[in-house]
Amino acid sequence: MMNPPGARSRISPWLIGAATVVVVLALVQWLFPPPFVVERPGPVVDTLGEVVDKEGAEPEPMISIRDAETYPTEGQLNLLTVSIHGSPDRSVGWLGLVPALFDPSQQIVPMAEIYPPGVSSEDRQQQNDQLMNRSQADATVAALRQLGEEVPATVSVSGIAQGSPAEGKLADGDVLVRVNGTEVVGYEQLRRLIADNGADEPAQITVLRGGEEVTVGATPVSSGTAETPGPAVLGIAVTSDYDFPVDVELRINDIGGPSAGMMFALGIMDTLTPGSLTGGHTVSGTGTIDGEGTVGAIGGLPQKMYGAAEADTDLFLMAIGNCDAVPENIPGDMTVAPVATLAEAERAIEDFAAGKKPAGLERCDSATSQATPLS
């Protein structure tokens, strides 16, 4: 039917308004992308389970150990991850931030915290891959040492900061043997030895150089700032090489960073010991690990707790250094156990498997966000 003479087609004002809003929003998102990313719960991976390395391949155990007797396991020892939505290359968009405002499992984070200026997505992936590789080596060391195995370590100088206390006294390739008479057995222990020496007097450092031991004195400096001084440091980078008594292979796809270290170590221990560490329960956790079994804090704890709850976790293990990041409302129905060491993590699982309540969030001092150590 034709319009009557003189009549005009009418377009609803709200359609015009809606179209205008869409165009404006698209223009804003293009011209002014949000400097934020969204953290969400990521995949939950059982370290006692199997993985497929590539499409069409047969599943293989995530943890394979050669040159040692291994044992069947039960239950799950899950590592937890965080998915990051948004990057310098691909903005999440202003509208993409809206769901995170209403979903407690998501968190809006400044992009600079994830991608510092000058760091691309590829740079971050490469850094995370390196951290994962180091984490796997440290997890293997920690697990074997917790089981009483000797794992000799060689700690060598791999870089010296210009103007640092070590400049002119240490050299690339020096093997660090002793600090103030104490044998160097690992990276974290070396850091503690330097920190304990303090910045008021020289540390006596014995190195192996050219086949001979040489002792030099170098006075560490305080790290941090004048307002918030940090531990004493020498200004060196080091690498650790281990002489493993067994061959441990950890298979993990598309996951980076150091936060799976504790769960890798627990999985190795369970595989190398008779019986089931978990007692058939589902245990999930997150925390870094060093070669001496110290469990360190990680990022994205709330998102990982929500991921653990979705996986029907019975016992959740977290680094005690993350006490200040625990959400007010714990998701799901799971027991939470903060731990400071691999030995404490093992004890918490054993207690839970035996029907005992492991030490929980009462270990966290809410006033200072400091942890009360177990005796």
Side-chain angles (χ1 to χ4, degrees):
M1 179 181 296
M2 296 182 63
N3 290 332
R8 293 183 300 174
S9 298
R10 294 183 178 179
I11 300 176
S12 173
W14 73 266
L15 283 177
I16 297 176
T20 302
V21 169
V22 170
V23 171
V24 170
L25 286 176
L27 189 61
V28 168
Q29 294 207 136
W30 179 59
L31 293 175
F32 308 102
F36 302 101
V37 298
V38 177
E39 292 183 339
R40 300 174 182 170
V44 177
V45 183
D46 181 14
T47 63
L48 302 178
E50 295 181 325
V51 297
V52 177
D53 284 336
K54 57 184 177 180
E55 188 176 353
E58 291 295 320
E60 295 185 87
M62 177 172 286
I63 299 175
S64 296
I65 303 176
R66 289 177 287 274
D67 305 323
E69 186 173 4
T70 58
Y71 302 87
T73 61
E74 295 179 359
Q76 296 181 22
L77 286 170
N78 294 324
L79 64 86
L80 305 164
T81 65
V82 174
S83 293
I84 306 295
H85 291 256
S87 70
D89 312 313
R90 188 172 183 178
S91 169
V92 72
W94 290 103
L95 291 178
L97 301 176
V98 174
L101 297 175
F102 305 96
D103 184 351
S105 73
Q106 301 185 43
Q107 183 175 5
I108 299 173
V109 178
M111 187 176 294
E113 290 187 12
I114 308 298
Y115 299 95
V119 175
S120 67
S121 300
E122 292 75 15
D123 293 336
R124 184 174 185 274
Q125 183 61 53
Q126 185 177 27
Q127 292 168 2
N128 279 339
D129 289 345
Q130 293 172 349
L131 290 170
M132 171 60 80
N133 291 336
R134 177 170 177 171
S135 174
Q136 291 178 346
D138 288 342
T140 302
V141 174
L144 294 176
R145 287 176 174 171
Q146 180 65 22
L147 295 175
E149 295 285 346
E150 291 287 335
V151 185
T154 301
V155 182
S156 305
V157 177
S158 57
I160 300 173
Q162 187 174 3
S164 70
E167 188 176 24
K169 297 183 178 180
L170 298 178
D172 284 356
D174 280 351
V175 176
L176 295 155
V177 180
R178 289 182 296 277
V179 173
N180 294 333
T182 300
E183 182 180 359
V184 175
V185 298
Y187 168 70
E188 290 298 332
Q189 178 238 18
L190 171 65
R191 290 181 59 187
R192 288 196 294 272
L193 290 174
I194 299 301
D196 290 345
N197 181 91
D200 296 327
E201 59 183 357
Q204 300 302 310
I205 305 164
T206 301
V207 301
L208 187 63
R209 182 186 300 165
E212 296 183 358
E213 287 193 1
V214 178
T215 299
V216 299
T219 303
V221 295
S222 177
S223 59
T225 64
E227 294 76 16
T228 57
V233 296
L234 283 175
I236 60 174
V238 300
T239 57
S240 300
D241 295 312
Y242 299 106
D243 184 9
F244 293 111
V246 297
D247 184 6
V248 178
E249 182 178 0
L250 303 174
R251 298 181 179 88
I252 188 72
N253 296 325
D254 302 323
I255 294 176
S259 64
M262 174 178 65
M263 300 311 295
F264 276 138
L266 290 168
I268 294 169
M269 291 169 60
D270 200 3
T271 303
L272 284 172
T273 52
S276 169
L277 175 61
T278 68
H281 293 289
T282 297
V283 179
S284 301
T286 181
T288 66
I289 200 78
D290 65 27
E292 297 170 77
T294 302
V295 176
I298 50 80
L301 181 73
Q303 287 67 51
K304 292 177 179 179
M305 294 187 82
Y306 276 97
E310 285 292 321
D312 295 325
T313 294
D314 301 311
L315 174 64
F316 178 81
L317 301 173
M318 56 170 274
I320 204 163
N322 276 130
C323 280
D324 59 351
V326 176
E328 184 176 351
N329 297 313
I330 304 296
D333 182 22
M334 56 188 179
T335 298
V336 179
V339 298
T341 64
L342 183 59
E344 288 186 6
E346 180 185 24
R347 188 192 319 172
I349 299 174
E350 290 175 342
D351 285 347
F352 190 83
K356 303 176 184 177
K357 187 177 184 303
L361 290 173
E362 67 274 6
R363 295 187 66 192
C364 297
D365 184 338
S366 60
T368 61
S369 297
Q370 297 297 317
T372 302
L374 291 178
S375 59

